[in-house]
Amino acid sequence: MTGDHQTLALLLFSGFVAVTLAITTWVSRRRHGSAEEFYVGGRLFSPMENGFAIAGDYMSAASFLGISGLIALYGYDGLLYGVGFLVAWLVVLFLVAELVRNCGRFTLADVVAARMSERPVRIAAGTSSVTVSVLYLVAQMVGAGSLVALLLGRTSGAAQAWTVIGVGALMVIYVSLGGMRATTWIQIVKAVLLLSGTVVLTVLVLLRFHGDVDRLLLTAAERSGHGRAFLAPGLKYGGDWNARLDFISLGLALVLGTAGLPHILARFYTVPTARAARRSVVWSIGLIGGFYLMTIVLGFGAAAVVGPGAVRGSNAAGNTAVPLLALDLGGGAGSTGGTVLFAVVAAVAFATILAVVAGITLASSASVAHDLYASLRRRRGKHRSEVAVARCAAVGIGVVAIGLGLLARDLNVAFLVGLAFAVAASANLPVLLYSLFWRGFTTRGAVWAVYGGLLPAIGLVLLSPVVSGSPESLFPGVDFQYFPLENPGIVSIPLGFLAGWLGTVTSDEVPDEAKYAETEVRSLTGAGAV
């Protein structure tokens, strides 16, 4: 990259950082210090504002960089990631959004603990939420490292390391000073920027091929080196039965995992009513659906314009396909148009990463303070101390995410997010659905559902090709690969549901019919909701 690229992109990124820090400072002066203000922004956001914030939370570096890169490298099979991410919102809309808003207060554990013995349930749900959040954060950190390596024209570990550290420091500042209100406005600004940039790139790709989508696809297939196979299923997931099962596992994780993501569930508490939560989801589905349709054009556009060989040469996992496409569409390296467009895309991608990590960090720090800390230290009037703990937790979680992000910097960000979704679907979704819909569900069932999904999911990942046994693994020099699939969802998700059922039927606890009736009425009508 030339000095012009670097200077302009860094100026734009610095501008975004300055704006977001100004928002955070403004909010920090107006905050009241209460738990409700810090965790959910006082529940004052409108459905449209929250819909844009949800979209900003969900359209992560995995979507903008990872999915487009996978499509550029694998064609049709890469496109399936985007389909899974989008279809997941139907589960959220019809099964989760309104009921969670009515039953909970700040976190996932609030919904489950309404009927159960609080302490073991909160510890289990809090542990799971933090684990999912950290996995998701790692994906964003990897995206940040890939982007800065391309931006600065440096592939050294030091350049990526300092970027990851910088992103981690900023996210801690956003969360600890501004809480949910600052995080929400950062996500809204980021969503507008990302959608605007994606629209511009999509239009330029279509103009390059005179609006002829067939020509775009055929050119992409021709440059891929795979011919028509590039446009058909099987290039990545069709080689053998392991690959096919991996695809089924990935699909289950993506479709079911969204409803268990802590930072998405937390967004339903930022609006005043359940009806507003449902309308927020409708807004977000429209925005996210349009975005994913455009990433398909960008992915095939990168294959047709840049070529999979050049994409892979820049970043083996394909994470830099969109910035390279922007550079080419603007006129190529050295041109003014290419410089400007590349700089804008790089700055938008940085904004994407910062906004998403702020949302995830806030959700995970809330779980640490409101669930884990509150369960271990019971006393009245603990809200202010909870907020202080949440701010400290944000620092600790940031440090952990930075360390893991440096370790996993060569993996595709969309793939890493797939792992986070698998853990969310395995540990969080079973306990959430059982709590909302099963009259006989017990405390033991809730704890077993969480750990029965969480531990197998993490364990299978550690024993999979992701960690060892292949040149692309985290530790390529060793081999303790005993599980053949890259995504554990096909095994760990059923185990989560099975463990919840088994724990319930073997429990001596008598389910509290009155509490279930109260929860059912509250979830369906909103009577008594906070």
Side-chain angles (χ1 to χ4, degrees), residues 21-369:
L21 287 175
I23 292 172
T24 304
T25 304
W26 174 68
V27 169
S28 67
R29 290 175 178 171
R30 300 176 70 246
R31 70 168 189 251
H32 307 299
S34 67
E36 188 169 29
E37 174 71 23
F38 183 80
Y39 293 145
V40 294
R43 309 186 202 280
L44 298 175
F45 293 100
S46 70
M48 185 181 76
E49 290 169 345
N50 198 43
F52 269 88
I54 290 173
D57 229 345
Y58 197 69
M59 296 183 303
S60 64
S63 304
F64 190 52
L65 302 176
I67 292 177
S68 300
L70 285 171
I71 294 173
L73 297 181
Y74 300 108
Y76 183 92
D77 281 11
L79 178 154
L80 295 171
Y81 269 86
V83 174
F85 281 126
L86 183 56
V87 171
W89 279 98
L90 298 178
V91 178
V92 176
L93 178 62
F94 292 118
L95 281 181
V96 172
E98 193 169 352
L99 304 183
V100 165
R101 174 62 187 86
N102 283 336
C103 289
R105 192 178 178 202
F106 300 135
T107 64
L108 164 70
D110 289 337
V111 179
V112 185
R115 296 176 49 198
M116 313 294 174
S117 176
E118 277 203 49
R119 185 169 179 173
V121 167
R122 285 194 180 276
I123 291 173
T127 301
S128 173
S129 295
V130 172
T131 303
V132 172
S133 298
V134 169
L135 283 172
Y136 212 118
L137 279 172
V138 169
Q140 310 309 313
M141 297 298 189
V142 170
S146 299
L147 193 65
V148 83
L150 179 67
L151 173 63
L152 300 178
R154 299 173 185 172
T155 55
S156 67
Q160 295 189 36
W162 281 111
T163 305
V164 170
I165 292 168
V167 170
L170 283 170
M171 78 184 187
V172 170
I173 292 170
Y174 293 149
V175 172
S176 58
L177 290 182
M180 178 59 87
R181 189 169 295 186
T183 299
T184 299
W185 282 110
I186 291 167
Q187 287 161 344
I188 292 171
V189 172
K190 167 256 173 146
V192 172
L193 288 173
L194 181 59
L195 287 167
S196 301
T198 309
V199 167
V200 170
L201 285 179
T202 302
V203 170
L204 289 174
V205 169
L206 293 175
L207 286 176
R208 172 70 67 92
F209 293 92
H210 307 289
D212 189 342
V213 177
D214 283 345
R215 186 178 164 201
L216 165 63
L217 296 176
L218 290 174
T219 305
E222 183 181 338
R223 293 204 64 182
S224 71
H226 298 285
R228 291 297 182 101
F230 190 71
L231 305 177
L235 198 59
K236 181 173 174 61
Y237 294 111
D240 53 27
W241 273 106
N242 275 353
R244 294 173 189 177
L245 287 174
D246 225 343
F247 167 65
I248 296 171
S249 186
L250 172 68
L252 283 172
L254 296 182
V255 171
L256 299 177
T258 300
L261 292 175
H263 64 291
I264 296 297
L265 294 174
R267 292 240 54 93
F268 301 139
Y269 300 128
T270 63
V271 289
T273 65
R275 182 169 181 265
R278 189 174 63 250
R279 289 173 60 198
S280 298
V281 175
V282 173
W283 268 100
S284 64
I285 287 175
L287 296 169
I288 293 166
F291 172 76
Y292 279 119
L293 287 174
M294 290 186 287
T295 61
I296 295 172
V297 177
L298 298 186
F300 283 112
V305 175
V306 181
V311 171
R312 193 176 275 110
S314 171
N315 180 270
N319 294 331
T320 54
V322 172
L324 290 174
L325 174 64
L327 183 63
D328 201 297
L329 291 174
S335 67
T336 302
T339 300
V340 171
L341 202 55
F342 175 89
V344 168
V345 168
V348 167
F350 269 125
T352 296
I353 291 164
L354 284 177
V356 173
V357 297
I360 301 167
T361 305
L362 179 60
S364 53
S365 62
S367 292
V368 170

